[in-house]
Amino acid sequence: MAEELKKPDDLLDINLSPPAQGWMETTPTFRKGTYCYSAPLKHQQYLELPNQREWQPHDADWKLPANWKEIILDGMEKLLKKHRSFRLFLDICVRCGACADKCHFFIGSGDPKNMPVLRAELLRSVYRRYFTLGGKLFGKLAGGRELTVDVLKEWFYYFFQCTECRRCSVYCPFGIDTCEITMMARELLNLVGCNIQWVIEPASNCFRTGNHLGVPPHAFKKTLEFAVDEIEDLTGIRVDLPINKKGAEILFIAPSADYFASPHWFTLLGYLMLFHEIGLDYTWSAYASEGGNFGLFHSMELAKRLNDKIYAEAKRLGVKWILGGECGHMWRTIHQYMDTFNGPADFLEEPVSPITGTRFENTKSTKMVHIAEFTADLIKHNKLKLAPHRNDKWKVTFHDSCNPARAMGLFEEPRFIINNVCNSFYEMPENTIKERTFCCGSGAGLGADENIEMRLRGGFPRANAVKYVKETYGVNMVACMCAIDKASLPPLFEYWVPGVEVAGVHELVGNALVMKGETERKTNLRGEPLGE
Ligand code: SF4
Ligand code: SF4
């Protein structure tokens, strides 16, 4: 990755002087490292997307349909009718600028069009021109502008430089959610076949095999069996592995990266050990083998179709409720959109922990409990024997993943768990955590390797906060609860703050968990000697 990449100091050499021309006159340059590639034709075909073709964003000709403008304006009209919030967000911005310096992409790039207020204006200006009286009559004078191919390209460039993290919305006095504007812009771009590989390929795989990685059911089973073997080597205990077990009490869903990638794998070991230890009556599904939902980064319709498989499997297997693992956008989808997509899930029961009797009232409608709530409740009721010293190798901080944190308010549960399974925990600065957390810079489908410069720029504020706790307290481990974070934070830290590792919260739980009948642990879940 580093060959063509600037050194950190050079990347931060940002020119903050405004461009000589007005913002309506500037067009984006599709410079390598700052944008994502388009979806391959076979995946466009698999999902039956509009305007299927081979193309790339750096091509001069995007091979748009002849009536592309009509399609976009018609699509915008439909979205304005369907989502009141969309029209409201376009109408009420007073351009106070409170959000301007809150986006990690603006901080890391200095590009004015990465200010949330201006990012939204890219679309708002077209809305004004075609859907407001002032814009229709006075055009530019009323802040309206014509929809041209250059404008469409600009939308693509900047709305695929927004991780839909919603940090800007926390600071807007009117609650304008620029993420929702990005989502609408991406819906519109998709109408004319302008989308990116890193979103479409996983979504297409999910349709074919039930997960983003394209792992078929037999390989899913095999990889989980490897995990069982590994746990046996570590602890001497052979844990249960229920898959597609009809009539189990609980269906467990994790992001597919947990059973294929590192450091996610250690989180998987943690889940399996925990469930075995408490004797949970649960099952995995080899068909709904994905918690994540890349449809959310494409269109509401695709998100709905992908989310539905989780509930269809819960119904098929006859479980009472669903437990979900460490995933970011699974929780955003469930928490904010599931009830209007596919729910309420009336065929399931209101979740109650079979171990502690706790009723998870916040999940009344979705019937889906977050693993952090579940485990924190077990610890609170003294149901786990824990040896936190096994994590003493690490001084830990916690990265609030945007979706479980800002979208769900899951702030205290992971901290409570970490404080019980580790002896050294340190917070990053207050304006970078909890609801004000900084994004990893790669969410919403932007984790592509070709987009590495933008990922590193966008991830800079997060890495900078980690650098602070590293230098102040000696932090060497960042715990988090999202598969995209676990994939994107390691290269980010390697670049900005080397010497800091990344773990899932349930990896730390697995390390500390004292299992009944276990042999003396010599190593942590990574196979590294304990205490070094
Ligand atoms: S949602 Fe996040 S990435 Fe998008 S404009 Fe707001 S702060 Fe920036
Ligand atoms: S903070 Fe809200 S009202 Fe102010 S410029 Fe940003 S989006 Fe507009």
Side-chain angles (χ1 to χ4, degrees):
M1 99 185 174
E3 261 172 43
E4 297 173 27
L5 206 54
K6 293 179 183 170
K7 299 241 176 314
D9 282 350
D10 297 331
L11 209 62
L12 284 181
D13 186 17
I14 296 165
N15 179 5
L16 289 169
S17 338
Q21 297 157 293
W23 69 268
M24 284 196 194
E25 275 75 53
T26 55
T27 50
T29 309
F30 285 83
R31 188 167 54 80
K32 211 174 161 206
T34 66
Y35 66 94
C36 296
Y37 294 158
S38 63
L41 185 58
K42 71 171 182 181
H43 295 295
Q44 298 176 42
Q45 288 167 339
Y46 195 82
L47 291 174
E48 297 177 346
L49 300 180
N51 193 26
Q52 294 166 11
R53 72 216 184 278
E54 298 281 9
W55 73 288
Q56 282 302 341
H58 48 254
D59 295 340
D61 180 4
W62 281 21
K63 301 177 191 162
L64 297 170
N67 60 340
W68 70 269
K69 193 167 157 178
E70 205 182 310
I71 295 172
I72 296 277
L73 293 176
D74 183 52
M76 195 185 270
E77 189 169 4
K78 287 194 178 113
L79 290 177
L80 288 165
K81 282 191 183 135
K82 194 171 167 193
H83 303 280
R84 264 189 78 217
S85 57
F86 183 36
R87 188 182 283 272
L88 196 71
F89 290 161
L90 293 178
D91 279 336
I92 64 173
C93 175
V94 293
R95 302 192 218 176
C96 66
C99 61
D101 58 351
K102 305 304 185 295
C103 175
H104 47 292
F105 283 114
F106 173 65
I107 297 171
S109 70
D111 185 335
K113 289 184 186 175
N114 273 325
M115 291 193 268
V117 53
L118 192 43
R119 191 193 309 284
E121 196 68 17
L122 304 179
L123 193 137
R124 191 177 276 127
S125 53
V126 172
Y127 160 74
R128 275 203 207 98
R129 162 66 185 82
Y130 295 93
F131 297 95
T132 66
L133 188 61
K136 281 179 192 166
L137 293 176
F138 304 112
K140 215 169 170 180
L141 278 178
R145 67 171 171 166
E146 297 294 322
L147 178 58
T148 62
V149 171
D150 279 345
V151 168
L152 192 83
K153 289 185 176 182
E154 186 188 54
W155 283 6
F156 182 94
Y157 192 71
Y158 289 103
F159 288 114
F160 282 105
Q161 278 185 14
C162 166
T163 43
E164 304 186 349
C165 77
R166 301 177 60 245
R167 186 171 196 265
C168 48
S169 71
V170 173
Y171 296 87
C172 173
F174 299 95
I176 294 173
D177 191 343
T178 303
C179 158
E180 297 261 345
I181 294 174
T182 294
M183 289 164 96
M184 297 301 130
R186 289 189 182 192
E187 291 240 3
L188 295 174
L189 286 161
N190 279 307
L191 293 176
V192 289
C194 296
N195 41 49
I196 63 168
Q197 173 171 9
W198 224 70
V199 167
I200 297 305
E201 188 164 337
S204 156
N205 285 341
C206 213
F207 266 71
R208 203 177 66 255
T209 65
N211 57 69
H212 291 158
L213 299 177
V215 178
H218 61 277
F220 167 79
K221 182 167 177 281
K222 240 189 169 46
T223 178
L224 260 61
E225 283 167 356
F226 282 136
V228 170
D229 290 344
E230 213 163 286
I231 292 169
E232 190 171 15
D233 289 346
L234 281 162
T235 65
I237 294 172
R238 191 144 189 96
V239 301
D240 311 323
L241 181 57
I243 299 178
N244 300 338
K245 180 179 149 192
K246 286 206 168 176
E249 185 171 357
I250 295 162
L251 169 64
F252 180 64
I253 306 272
S256 55
D258 282 357
Y259 48 87
F260 256 89
S262 177
H264 318 58
W265 177 256
F266 311 115
T267 307
L268 170 76
L269 302 185
Y271 302 144
L272 285 164
M273 292 162 76
L274 176 70
F275 299 156
H276 176 91
E277 181 59 18
I278 60 175
L280 195 68
D281 178 17
Y282 84 107
T283 185
W284 296 80
S285 162
Y287 303 103
S289 48
E290 177 64 66
N293 190 328
F294 271 61
L296 193 66
F297 313 138
H298 174 275
S299 64
M300 291 292 176
E301 184 54 30
L302 194 52
K304 174 181 166 174
R305 284 155 73 192
L306 292 181
N307 187 62
D308 191 44
K309 74 182 183 308
I310 296 178
Y311 287 88
E313 268 300 86
K315 206 177 230 174
R316 184 182 75 87
L317 295 170
V319 301
K320 288 185 182 165
W321 54 276
I322 306 167
L323 182 63
E326 294 187 9
C327 182
H329 44 293
M330 162 163 67
W331 290 105
R332 176 84 185 283
T333 312
I334 299 292
H335 192 70
Q336 288 194 271
Y337 304 110
M338 199 293 275
D339 271 356
T340 41
F341 279 175
N342 322 92
D346 289 337
F347 61 94
L348 295 171
E349 291 180 17
E350 198 179 317
V352 175
S353 169
I355 315 300
T356 66
T358 297
R359 188 169 289 275
F360 296 100
E361 291 187 352
N362 54 319
T363 64
K364 247 184 196 152
S365 184
T366 62
K367 314 290 194 296
M368 194 152 173
V369 175
H370 192 288
I371 185 93
E373 299 171 286
F374 183 75
T375 305
D377 177 64
L378 292 171
I379 295 173
K380 188 174 165 232
H381 287 89
N382 287 319
K383 297 294 180 190
L384 304 180
K385 193 170 171 198
L386 298 166
H389 73 271
R390 290 181 186 164
N391 283 314
D392 277 357
K393 174 177 178 178
W394 291 308
K395 291 187 191 301
V396 182
T397 192
F398 181 64
H399 162 64
D400 292 270
S401 308
C402 299
N403 291 322
R406 245 189 310 274
M408 287 184 75
L410 262 179
F411 303 136
E412 301 311 327
E413 291 86 344
R415 289 174 167 79
F416 178 73
I417 296 171
I418 294 170
N419 273 310
N420 277 278
V421 299
C422 300
N423 286 319
S424 310
F425 173 69
Y426 303 92
E427 287 284 12
M428 285 184 268
E430 219 175 297
N431 61 343
T432 76
I433 60 170
K434 299 187 178 175
E435 71 272 20
R436 289 179 283 178
T437 184
F438 269 118
C439 180
C440 63
S442 301
L446 305 187
D449 284 349
E450 70 269 16
N451 194 34
I452 188 68
E453 182 183 319
M454 227 36 229
R455 284 172 56 185
L456 295 173
R457 287 185 183 280
F460 168 70
R462 171 75 304 157
N464 199 34
V466 171
K467 189 164 187 259
Y468 173 80
V469 283
K470 183 183 181 226
E471 287 171 358
T472 311
Y473 309 112
V475 161
N476 58 359
M477 174 61 82
V478 176
C480 60
M481 299 195 300
C482 166
I484 290 182
D485 289 335
K486 284 173 204 160
S488 63
L489 291 178
L492 182 75
F493 296 155
E494 190 190 319
Y495 185 80
W496 291 115
V497 50
V500 177
E501 294 186 69
V502 177
V505 171
H506 280 75
E507 174 184 344
L508 304 176
V509 171
N511 277 330
L513 186 68
V514 180
M515 299 175 77
K516 287 181 241 14
E518 70 177 18
T519 48
E520 194 194 342
R521 297 241 201 129
K522 300 252 185 324
T523 67
N524 61 23
L525 300 191
R526 298 182 178 208
E528 300 160 343
L530 282 180
E532 282 180 21

